[in-house]
Amino acid sequence: MPTVVDAAIVLLNDIDALLRILEASAGAPPQSPPKMTSAQTLKAADDLFSFESKLIPGSTVGKHCRHLLDHFDKLLTIVERPPDGNSGGEHPVDYDARVRNVDSERRVAAAKLRVTAIAARLREAVPNGEGDEPGPLNKKAVSVKFYLDAGSANATLTSTVGREVWFVTHHAIHHAAMIKVICSNELGISLPPEFGVAPSTLRHITAPDTKSLI
């Protein structure tokens, strides 16, 4: 049975494959007719990465990649801290404290390096256990800060490392779905059918007599 770390690595591998597809697609004829623009006019992979979507205003493939990687990074930064006896209470995960407009949302090469680094950190920081048993860190308590609305102070919740690894993975799958919308409808780049689809949805659509994709 796969663990949450296994699922996270699969997702990160999907993002790495996406970046390689962008590199291969730069300057090439679109794989499918785009509805809104042409990938032929975008000569470099970084241009594809930074193309501003009309379907999802303000979005780029790069911004979605940077955002989903930020969440992995914020969690791992706390998990990697040496034990200090406070069970994470003084060092909560803060997913909202992000830095935008960075190299990894503008350059494919920088994003690839970041994906590789995060996958290595994840394997090191949250090792799998034996057999079907999760590693001990999966059960470790961690506190998490969130803004529940734009006008309030942070709320702090208690979680576990394993639960948060799955949260950042599931969060990334939804951003991958938006990346797929941009690629298929605006850049003319085809991605695998399972890219950006949650495991529960994949199970559902493979069931007999299934009609809905949600």
Side-chain angles (χ1 to χ4, degrees), residues 1-110:
M1 179 181 294
T3 66
V4 289
V5 174
D6 295 328
I9 294 299
V10 168
L11 181 281
L12 291 169
N13 286 341
D14 285 348
I15 298 302
D16 182 73
L18 160 74
L19 299 173
R20 295 177 188 279
I21 290 170
L22 289 178
E23 289 179 322
S25 300
Q31 297 165 333
S32 59
K35 296 181 175 66
M36 302 191 68
T37 189
S38 174
Q40 289 175 295
T41 65
L42 302 173
K43 300 300 183 183
D46 291 348
D47 293 333
L48 295 169
F49 201 50
S50 302
F51 169 79
E52 291 205 8
S53 173
K54 307 300 186 296
L55 289 173
I56 311 175
S59 291
T60 69
V61 172
K63 287 179 181 178
H64 284 291
C65 285
R66 185 269 305 159
H67 175 76
L68 69 88
L69 293 173
D70 279 350
H71 277 58
F72 280 97
D73 184 65
K74 291 297 179 183
L75 174 60
L76 288 170
T77 296
I78 297 304
V79 174
E80 291 164 344
R81 283 181 179 269
D84 57 9
N86 61 32
S87 300
E90 294 180 11
H91 304 294
V93 182
D94 188 354
Y95 296 117
D96 296 324
R98 299 187 297 271
V99 179
R100 296 167 173 83
N101 196 31
V102 295
D103 217 24
S104 61
E105 75 177 39
R106 297 191 301 263
R107 295 179 56 246
V108 172

